[in-house]
Amino acid sequence: MASEKKWILKESADPSKVSRLSTELGIDRVLAELLVKRGVQTFEQARSFFRPSLSNLHDPFLMKDMDIAVERVRKAITTNEKVLVYGDYDVDGTTAVTLVYSFIKRYNPNTDYYIPDRYDEGYGVTIQGIDWAVENGFTLIITLDCGIKAIDRVEYAKSKGIDVIICDHHLPEEEIPQATAVLDPKREDCNYPFDDLSGCGVGFKLVQAYSQKYGIPFENLTPLLDLLVVSISSDLVTMVGENRILAHFGLKQLNEQPRQGLLAIINLSKIEPGHVSIDDIVFKIGPRINAAGRMESGRLAVELLTATNADDAAKIGNKINDNNNERKSIDREITQEALDMVEKRSCLSFGNTTIVYNPSWNKGVVGIVASRLVEAYYKPTIVLTKSNGLVTGSARSVQGFDLYSAIESCSDLLENFGGHVYAVGLTLREENLDEFIHRIDKFVEGKISREMLTPVVELDARLDFSQITPKFFRILKQFQPFGPGNTNPVFFTENVYDDGNGRKVGAGGVHMKLDMLQESQPYHHVAAIAFNMSEYFDYIKEGNPLDICYSIVENYYRGNTTLQLRIKDMREREEFI
């Protein structure tokens, strides 16, 4: 029953800086240390951290090509030109399309949107999409969350008399498409101060720039911020800098005045309106929006997000919810088949990489299945299926290993690939599959270390239960919104027990609800939830001591808010030294 995870206590911050900040702000040293580790060292920096302000957003014209993009959009609006807003079928793509389409449509009714079909067309800018634009008389395409690698497609569009503005946030290759304007903060020749915007974030900077130049009040953009927080949370970009400001105000918009489509999803997800959290977006709202593109069409997601009355939104929302239930059922089935393959070693690789392939699997869920296999075996994973005569799939990595580089090293064998360090999509011909597996295995073996193959829980600080006071939690809550780069702190407490009221919960009793107390402080009871840890139940019920690591969360249920520990891992007392 020993934990397979390695617990590592993060390096301490400079004690003198921690003491000074703790005194200046009148807060617990643990909270002061968390702030210093986040680069917050002065009263002024703390004020700006705890009170995000839209006035701290960067000038959008600092992004390369922004001036050109704004003028091209201006020309399209003033001449009533036909504009096509084109984006990917995932959450980031569909929120981005909704945002830019909604904005331009206000000023130019000749605006439409296009989402490629995941199965017939695949990811990114497609020939079919451009042909559709030509047939329908569009002369400007604005791409969102895709396009940075579409060199040939942009040339094709230009040959058909269509200008292209690219808004993307993926890593470009050395050659940039010869589009009218290319907005991508990751361009090497772009000096924009923040390079980790989501695709929707880049789209927002375009409409912000247009508004700034042509006298549209920023308040007119506020209703778009609920789309931004859904994109930022779901795409797992870092929750620092501009993203944190946009997510903070986006969450406010989502809770106070969400658009009809998002309100429909909030209700279908059984989230209390007004109490939507980043976790709710990541685990409930985002997957439902994604399900449209996985099971049917990403266009349905944009229809939902642009719906203006409650009845339409509820109708589309129900359809998307059904898609999500179907997705969950297929995902469970395929995950089980993939796990069986690995256990029976009938997979393509199970060395330092897990590679599984079944030509009949649903292309829409292979990314989810890859994530599940990483959870199960903790190694870089590629899940492949077949679509339109090509082998296609998704890859997911482990902390610290750049899987994008591994796949890029095989680019000569691939028809297409794209993504990030930890998540990549790829397509190749079946005759190249054996060579691809051989080369990926060799690359990973040469670059991955034993440490990378061991899941790690990074601990922020040791905490006694007596320190978890209402004031402590009130300040900790202001560290939100949490996400990569500004994660919910993980604390550890030693020598704790359940008070005897612990019970198994959830389908099949796989989770535990516990009431914990610390031996040295027997009067400080704290409620806790431990997901998928019921193997510890008998040990705990016998009154044995544990060391636990956890985040502190707010549990909102039927009008009552309570503080709860969300346990990340637990160990029998003697294990943790």
Side-chain angles (χ1 to χ4, degrees):
M1 204 168 58
S3 169
E4 292 169 10
K5 295 174 182 169
K6 187 175 181 182
W7 293 14
I8 295 176
L9 184 58
K10 290 179 186 172
E11 204 174 316
S12 299
D14 181 331
S16 62
K17 288 178 181 174
V18 172
S19 292
R20 188 167 62 247
L21 196 62
S22 172
T23 306
E24 274 185 30
L25 300 179
I27 61 172
D28 189 295
R29 273 190 69 91
V30 169
L31 293 168
E33 173 143 7
L34 293 175
L35 286 171
V36 172
K37 284 178 180 173
R38 282 163 168 73
V40 176
Q41 299 183 11
T42 66
F43 185 87
E44 284 308 312
Q45 287 172 335
R47 179 157 55 191
S48 133
F49 180 79
F50 286 129
R51 302 280 179 272
S53 168
L54 290 165
S55 64
N56 289 332
L57 293 178
H58 301 301
D59 178 354
F61 286 99
L62 294 172
M63 196 177 293
K64 186 165 178 64
D65 282 2
M66 185 61 82
D67 49 347
I68 303 167
V70 166
E71 286 319 298
R72 184 63 187 85
V73 171
R74 179 67 175 177
K75 180 184 172 220
I77 285 173
T78 52
T79 60
N80 222 19
E81 194 177 341
K82 288 195 84 172
V83 179
L84 187 64
V85 183
Y86 185 114
D88 187 24
Y89 37 68
D90 69 0
V91 184
D92 192 18
T94 52
T95 52
V97 165
T98 303
L99 188 148
V100 174
Y101 165 77
S102 306
F103 179 84
I104 296 177
K105 181 94 172 168
R106 261 184 244 164
Y107 307 102
N108 177 358
N110 268 341
T111 305
D112 204 348
Y113 58 86
Y114 188 95
I115 308 286
D117 184 275
R118 181 189 285 262
Y119 301 97
D120 291 344
E121 299 174 66
Y123 168 80
V125 183
T126 65
I127 296 294
Q128 294 98 308
I130 296 166
D131 286 344
W132 188 87
V134 172
E135 284 159 25
N136 289 280
F138 291 93
T139 46
L140 174 63
I141 293 176
I142 302 174
T143 77
L144 279 306
D145 191 35
C146 62
I148 197 62
K149 290 185 175 182
I151 294 162
D152 297 344
R153 309 296 159 94
V154 168
E155 281 307 315
Y156 179 70
K158 282 166 70 177
S159 75
K160 299 287 184 181
I162 296 176
D163 287 343
V164 180
I165 294 173
I166 292 170
C167 302
D168 204 348
H169 69 130
H170 294 99
L171 275 168
E173 290 177 342
E174 274 185 43
E175 190 184 345
I176 301 279
Q178 294 298 303
T180 301
V182 179
L183 307 179
D184 187 335
K186 289 191 175 76
R187 282 180 68 164
E188 280 205 9
D189 56 353
C190 178
N191 296 320
Y192 191 71
F194 185 72
D195 72 353
D196 202 31
L197 291 166
S198 64
C200 188
V202 177
F204 179 78
K205 296 312 288 189
L206 174 60
V207 304
Q208 184 194 357
Y210 187 93
S211 303
Q212 199 171 295
K213 177 141 192 195
Y214 290 105
I216 298 164
F218 190 90
E219 295 69 51
N220 289 22
L221 306 183
T222 306
L224 302 172
L225 296 178
D226 57 357
L227 294 165
L228 260 177
V229 70
V230 170
S231 144
I232 289 165
S233 309
S234 303
D235 217 52
L236 298 177
V237 287
T238 50
M239 196 66 81
V240 298
E242 262 193 325
N243 283 343
R244 188 165 174 272
I245 296 169
L246 293 167
H248 173 88
F249 288 97
L251 211 49
K252 191 172 186 296
Q253 182 71 19
L254 189 60
N255 280 303
E256 292 173 6
Q257 285 183 292
R259 65 193 52 239
Q260 291 294 344
L262 287 174
L263 183 59
I265 292 292
I266 288 165
N267 291 330
L268 285 161
S269 306
K270 299 190 167 43
I271 304 165
E272 185 81 22
H275 292 272
V276 183
S277 68
I278 296 291
D279 274 2
D280 289 328
I281 297 171
V282 173
F283 296 110
K284 296 175 181 176
I285 297 171
R288 282 173 168 80
I289 294 171
N290 252 336
R294 290 185 194 282
M295 308 311 299
E296 194 169 332
S297 164
R299 195 171 173 90
L300 198 59
V302 182
E303 282 173 27
L304 172 79
L305 297 171
T306 53
T308 52
N309 72 67
D311 289 346
D312 288 348
K315 204 163 145 189
I316 304 165
N318 277 314
K319 205 170 177 187
I320 284 178
N321 204 47
D322 291 344
N323 283 335
N324 190 51
N325 290 332
E326 187 189 349
R327 187 271 305 164
K328 283 197 279 194
S329 163
I330 291 170
D331 148 26
R332 273 194 297 270
E333 195 180 304
I334 295 176
T335 297
Q336 194 51 57
E337 286 176 22
L339 289 167
D340 290 346
M341 268 186 184
V342 176
E343 290 307 314
K344 292 171 183 164
R345 296 294 188 267
S346 59
C347 47
L348 300 182
S349 174
F350 191 69
N352 290 315
T353 324
T354 305
I355 305 178
V356 290
Y357 173 45
N358 182 327
S360 66
W361 282 341
N362 183 303
K363 181 185 171 186
V365 300
V366 290
I368 299 168
V369 174
S371 297
R372 302 257 192 271
L373 293 184
V374 171
E375 283 169 24
Y377 302 108
Y378 207 71
K379 48 180 76 174
T381 299
I382 303 174
V383 178
L384 300 166
T385 183
K386 206 164 188 182
S387 178
N388 294 332
L390 293 169
V391 174
T392 185
S394 280
R396 297 290 182 271
S397 195
V398 295
Q399 189 66 34
F401 185 75
D402 182 352
L403 190 53
Y404 184 89
S405 292
I407 286 167
E408 190 176 37
S409 73
C410 303
S411 59
D412 57 307
L413 300 173
L414 303 175
E415 297 300 301
N416 204 352
F417 74 100
H420 308 281
V421 170
Y422 295 120
V424 188
L426 64 148
T427 306
L428 69 158
R429 295 185 184 281
E430 192 149 26
E431 58 264 30
N432 290 335
L433 187 55
D434 289 344
E435 178 63 15
F436 172 74
I437 292 157
H438 171 70
R439 275 168 51 182
I440 281 285
D441 272 341
K442 204 168 176 187
F443 185 99
V444 174
E445 189 181 353
K447 301 274 185 185
I448 206 159
S449 65
R450 185 178 291 276
E451 287 72 31
M452 288 178 197
L453 294 169
T454 305
V456 165
V457 182
E458 290 193 321
L459 310 174
D460 287 275
R462 187 187 175 284
L463 207 58
D464 285 329
F465 283 174
S466 59
Q467 289 171 274
I468 307 174
T469 62
K471 181 186 177 185
F472 181 93
F473 186 60
R474 193 172 66 248
I475 296 165
L476 184 64
K477 262 193 350 185
Q478 293 174 49
F479 281 56
Q480 296 178 18
F482 294 126
N486 182 47
T487 52
N488 195 347
V490 177
F491 303 105
F492 73 94
T493 304
E494 299 158 295
N495 218 359
V496 301
Y497 298 81
D498 176 63
D499 70 357
N501 292 314
R503 64 190 194 278
K504 292 183 184 181
V505 293
V510 293
H511 315 310
M512 293 186 293
K513 266 198 163 177
L514 305 167
D515 241 332
M516 311 223 73
L517 46 93
Q518 195 174 359
E519 187 173 58
S520 58
Q521 297 157 24
Y523 305 109
H524 290 276
H525 284 241
V526 189
I529 183 85
F531 293 112
N532 300 307
M533 293 188 203
S534 59
E535 74 270 18
Y536 283 93
F537 187 72
D538 292 337
Y539 175 85
I540 290 168
K541 287 304 280 181
E542 286 164 10
N544 291 310
L546 292 162
D547 295 334
I548 60 170
C549 60
Y550 54 88
S551 291
I552 306 172
V553 298
E554 207 166 35
N555 187 36
Y556 184 85
Y557 184 66
R558 291 183 178 171
N560 292 319
T561 303
T562 53
L563 185 147
Q564 188 180 61
L565 308 185
R566 186 174 291 161
I567 296 178
K568 303 272 183 190
D569 199 20
M570 52 176 63
R571 295 180 164 186
E572 297 173 23
R573 178 75 187 106
E574 64 273 17
E575 285 178 40
F576 186 52
I577 297 166

